[in-house]
Amino acid sequence: MTLSEADTRAQAPQTPGSEWWRTAAIYQIYPRSFADHSGDGVGDLPGVTAHLDDLRDLGVDALWLSPFQRSPQNDAGYDVADYCDVDPLFGTLADFDGMLAGAHARGIRIIVDLVPNHSSDQHAWFQEALRAAPGSRERARYMFRDGKGENGEEPPNNWESVFGGPAWSRVTEADGTPGQWYLHLFDASQPDFDWSNEEVREEFRRILRFWLDRGVDGFRVDVAHGLVKQAGLPDYTPDPDAGSMGGDEASVPYWGQPAVHEIYRDWHMLLAEYDGDRALCAEAWLPSVAQTALWVRPDEMHQAFNFEYLETPWDAAHLRAVIAESIATYSGVGAPTTWVLSNHDVVRHATRLSMTVEVPQGYGVGPQTPGKPDYATGVRRARAATSLMLALPGSAYIYQGEELGLPEATELPDDARQDPTWFRTHGERYGRDGCRVPIPWRADAPAFGFSETGASWLPQPDQWAALARDVQTNDPDSTLSLYRSLLAERRARGLGAGGLEWLEGYPDGVVAFRNGDLTVVANVTGGTVPLPAGSVVVASSPLTDDGIPADTTVWVAAD
Ligand code: NOJ
C-alpha cells in the first residue's frame, strides 16, 4: 500500500536492522528463459505465475525479474522503449499484477529491473531527439555531441562500447546531412541518458513511483556505476584484460563518478515514502569491495551485488580473504553483504569454477574456448560453492537453473547466437547466450517443458534432459534437493541474520567457520579432511569413511 498523496513524509524502516533485504535469498528470473506460457519460444510473465508454487517450495524469499518492459529486445530487454509497460512478448500489465499478487500471497517479494543508464533507440524521447535539432531540449536528454575533425567526421572521443566497437554513433540530421554523434556505452541501439539533465531525473522518479505504486518490493539497478560521466568526456583506453564491465580499473571516466551517489540518495528518500522496506540493489562492477560499499552507505542503496565474490576462484585462501573483507567492509557502512555466484551475464558457476583458463566477464565460453572442464567436476564444485555461499550471513542471489546444476551451454551453434557482444566483436567474443538458454522442466516434454509447442529462442543441449526438474524432484541426491535443503536450513537456523567466526586447526585448503550452532567446512584441498564432531545437516557430495572428500562442503550442527 502507498501513502496518501498528502502524507509524503519519509517513513522510518519498518523493521530497522532486520529489514527483509538484509537476509533474503533472492532468485533471479530471466523471464525469456524461465517458462513460456504463450508457446512462442520466449518465456513470459504467465509462465512465472504458473511456477510460483515451485519457487515457494524451493524456499526463496524474493524474485528479481530481469527486464520485461517494452523493448525491441536488441539486448534481451536491457534496451527499454517504454519503462511503464510490459512488452507483449512477456504479457500485459495485468499479467504483471497477477504475478505480483500470486507471489505476495505466497510470501515471496518481487524486485524488478530498472535500466537508467540508457534507453532503447526506439524510446519516444530518442526518436524525438533524432528529429530535433542540435542544441534542442530533446537532444539534451541524451549525450549528443559534435564530432571532431574538419567536418565532425570523427567521434567526440575514443571510448569503446562494453560490447565492443566504438561507443559513439553518428546520426543523419533531418536535412539528410551527416550530423552529431550520440554516446552508447553498450549497443548502438542503447543511447545513454544525460543524467545532468533534471528532466531525466524527474522522469525516473516517475518510473520508480509507477512500479512502487503497483506494489514492487524493490529494484535491481542496471549499470548503477555508469550514469554520470566525467566532465569533458576525456579519452580513455581500457585495459583489455579487465572484463567488459570495467572490472579492475581504478579510474574510468564513465564508471563510478562521485556525482552518481546524489541520484541514489534522492531515490533512497523516494523509496522511504513507501511502506514495506522497499529496496534498491546496485549492479555496479567496481574494482574493489571497498568501492562497491560506497553504493550502500546508509542513505543510498540497500544492497550491491558482490561481484568480487562471484569472481573469486575456487581457492580457499582467496575465498577466506574475500569473505572476511566483504563482511568487514559492508558492515562498516551498516549494509548487509550480498553473495552471488551466477547471473545472466557470466559463465554459469557449474562450468566456471573448473575452467582451466580464465574467461573475462562478458566473453563467454564456446566451441573453440580452451580449458573446458568435464561436467562432473564442474557441478561438484558448484554444489560445494553454493553450500558455502548459503551458509554465509547476509543476502544471497541464485540464478535460475543453478538449482538444477545447469552448466553453461558451451556448444551453441553460431547461427543461434543473439547477444550483441557476438555481433559487435565479429565473433571474437561468444558473449552471454550460453548462460541464458531456457531451463528444463520435464525430461520427456517438448523443449523439456519450457514451452508446450517445443519452441525455444535458444536451442537446449540434449544432455539437459537428465537435469530436468521433474527428474530431480524426488531424487534426494539431486542438485535441486540439495538447494531445497540448504534454503530450508538457512531459513530455519536464521543463517542470513547470523555471524561468522573463523575456525582454526584446518589445513590451508579448507574454508571453515561457525555461523550460530552450525559448523561449515568447505574442502578445497584436493584430498580428504576430517569431519568435525556433531550431526551432519547437509553435505554437498557424499561423505566417505575418512571424512569430507575434495570439493565438498558440509554443514554440521552441534549435538
Ligand atoms: C547489465 C545487464 O546485466 C546486461 O545484461 C546488459 O547487457 C547491460 N547491463 C546493459 O544494460
Side-chain angles (χ1 to χ4, degrees):
M1 247 204 311
T2 61
L3 291 178
S4 74
E5 277 187 15
D7 185 1
T8 51
R9 281 172 296 124
Q11 293 216 342
Q14 282 196 317
T15 47
S18 55
E19 298 91 341
W20 66 273
W21 42 265
R22 291 186 179 274
T23 57
I26 303 172
Y27 183 92
Q28 180 190 354
I29 292 194
Y30 194 64
R32 53 172 41 239
S33 301
F34 185 71
D36 173 21
H37 194 260
S38 70
D40 64 358
V42 178
D44 44 41
L45 295 177
V48 177
T49 306
H51 287 291
L52 287 172
D53 284 343
D54 291 318
L55 295 164
R56 182 201 50 209
D57 295 348
L58 179 60
V60 294
D61 303 307
L63 308 177
W64 149 37
L65 281 87
S66 283
F68 49 79
Q69 292 83 354
R70 269 191 193 265
S71 159
Q73 305 291 320
N74 278 353
D75 184 21
Y78 283 94
D79 48 323
V80 181
D82 181 347
Y83 288 85
C84 297
D85 200 4
V86 172
D87 195 283
L89 199 55
F90 299 115
T92 62
L93 274 172
D95 291 330
F96 175 81
D97 292 340
M99 189 270 307
L100 183 93
H104 282 173
R106 290 167 178 80
I108 299 175
R109 291 186 160 85
I110 296 290
I111 296 173
V112 296
D113 222 305
L114 183 74
V115 187
N117 180 68
H118 47 264
S119 70
S120 159
D121 62 357
Q122 300 306 307
H123 191 286
W125 272 11
F126 193 72
Q127 290 298 313
E128 286 169 20
L130 289 180
R131 290 192 294 269
S136 59
R137 173 187 170 182
E138 288 80 2
R139 291 238 167 142
R141 295 161 175 159
Y142 292 92
M143 304 283 291
F144 279 88
R145 294 288 184 278
D146 293 333
K148 285 189 188 159
E150 213 173 308
N151 300 308
E153 67 279 11
E154 289 169 32
N157 69 20
N158 72 346
W159 293 1
E160 285 172 23
S161 151
V162 168
F163 293 157
W168 294 92
S169 291
R170 195 172 192 186
V171 301
T172 303
E173 301 297 355
D175 64 3
T177 57
Q180 285 194 300
W181 298 72
Y182 66 90
L183 177 69
H184 51 86
L185 288 182
F186 294 88
D187 190 55
S189 63
Q190 294 167 295
D192 281 45
F193 285 113
D194 185 342
W195 274 88
S196 67
N197 184 337
E198 178 54 31
E199 201 184 352
V200 172
R201 292 180 186 234
E202 191 50 37
E203 175 64 1
F204 272 87
R205 289 183 200 113
R206 184 183 75 84
I207 294 164
L208 285 166
R209 288 189 191 285
F210 176 85
W211 293 105
L212 289 165
D213 288 344
R214 290 199 108 78
V216 305
D217 299 284
F219 300 89
R220 174 267 190 192
V221 180
D222 190 63
V223 200
H225 57 321
L227 277 52
V228 173
K229 279 73 180 179
Q230 190 176 322
L233 311 181
D235 276 353
Y236 175 73
T237 306
D239 171 354
D241 299 326
S244 56
M245 288 293 281
D248 307 329
E249 296 171 85
S251 155
V252 184
Y254 39 85
W255 300 142
Q257 295 299 304
V260 82
H261 297 284
E262 285 165 26
I263 299 169
Y264 304 129
R265 293 199 177 98
D266 181 44
W267 292 5
H268 182 105
M269 289 193 296
L270 190 153
L271 261 68
E273 292 171 19
Y274 288 78
D275 63 1
D277 296 331
R278 320 274 177 122
L280 297 163
C281 178
E283 190 235 8
W285 292 81
L286 291 152
S288 65
V289 171
Q291 283 207 36
T292 313
L294 299 177
W295 267 251
V296 287
R297 286 174 290 188
D299 58 348
E300 296 195 34
M301 295 198 168
H302 306 83
Q303 291 189 331
F305 287 106
N306 188 345
F307 292 128
E308 199 87 359
Y309 182 71
L310 182 151
E311 292 188 317
T312 302
W314 185 235
D315 169 274
H318 284 95
L319 286 164
R320 277 196 302 268
V322 72
I323 292 168
E325 189 192 2
S326 301
I327 292 175
T329 310
Y330 287 102
S331 51
V333 290
T337 308
T338 65
W339 310 104
V340 57
L341 289 166
S342 280
N343 68 28
H344 66 292
D345 290 329
V346 301
V347 174
R348 281 185 177 276
H349 69 283
T351 297
R352 192 183 69 240
L353 291 179
S354 52
M355 294 282 300
T356 57
V357 298
E358 210 176 310
V359 180
Q361 187 277 325
Y363 283 47
V365 176
Q368 305 300 326
T369 312
K372 278 182 279 190
D374 65 290
Y375 176 65
T377 309
V379 75
R380 184 180 178 92
R381 287 192 179 165
R383 290 169 58 118
T386 301
S387 302
L388 169 60
M389 175 178 87
L390 290 177
L392 293 168
S395 170
Y397 278 81
I398 295 167
Y399 175 48
Q400 68 178 37
E402 65 170 85
E403 77 279 20
L404 305 176
L406 294 188
E408 186 84 353
T410 58
E411 308 302 316
L412 287 175
D414 290 357
D415 61 6
R417 293 192 183 278
Q418 308 214 9
D419 185 350
T421 310
W422 166 257
F423 299 103
R424 289 185 62 87
T425 61
H426 308 289
E428 203 179 293
R429 300 183 202 162
Y430 287 109
R432 303 157 296 174
D433 291 317
C435 63
R436 299 174 171 183
V437 172
I439 64 174
W441 294 89
R442 300 198 311 276
D444 296 329
F448 301 136
F450 164 67
S451 173
E452 295 304 327
T453 60
S456 173
W457 71 280
L458 284 173
Q460 299 160 299
D462 293 342
Q463 303 88 313
W464 283 18
L467 299 175
R469 186 170 295 251
D470 66 343
V471 175
Q472 299 201 33
T473 298
N474 297 316
D475 173 359
D477 299 326
S478 71
T479 303
L480 179 60
S481 297
L482 174 68
Y483 269 69
R484 280 192 190 137
S485 303
L486 292 168
L487 288 162
E489 292 291 343
R490 184 179 187 280
R491 185 180 279 173
R493 294 167 186 276
L495 299 182
L500 180 140
E501 182 196 336
W502 293 111
L503 295 175
E504 306 295 334
Y506 286 90
D508 281 349
V510 166
V511 181
F513 59 88
R514 193 170 287 136
N515 181 350
D517 74 342
L518 205 65
T519 296
V520 178
V521 181
N523 178 5
V524 197
T525 61
T528 301
V529 298
L531 183 67
S535 309
V536 173
V537 176
V538 195
S540 66
S541 290
L543 302 176
T544 64
D545 291 345
D546 303 336
I548 311 168
D551 294 333
T552 301
T553 298
V554 66
W555 293 9
V556 177
D559 284 328

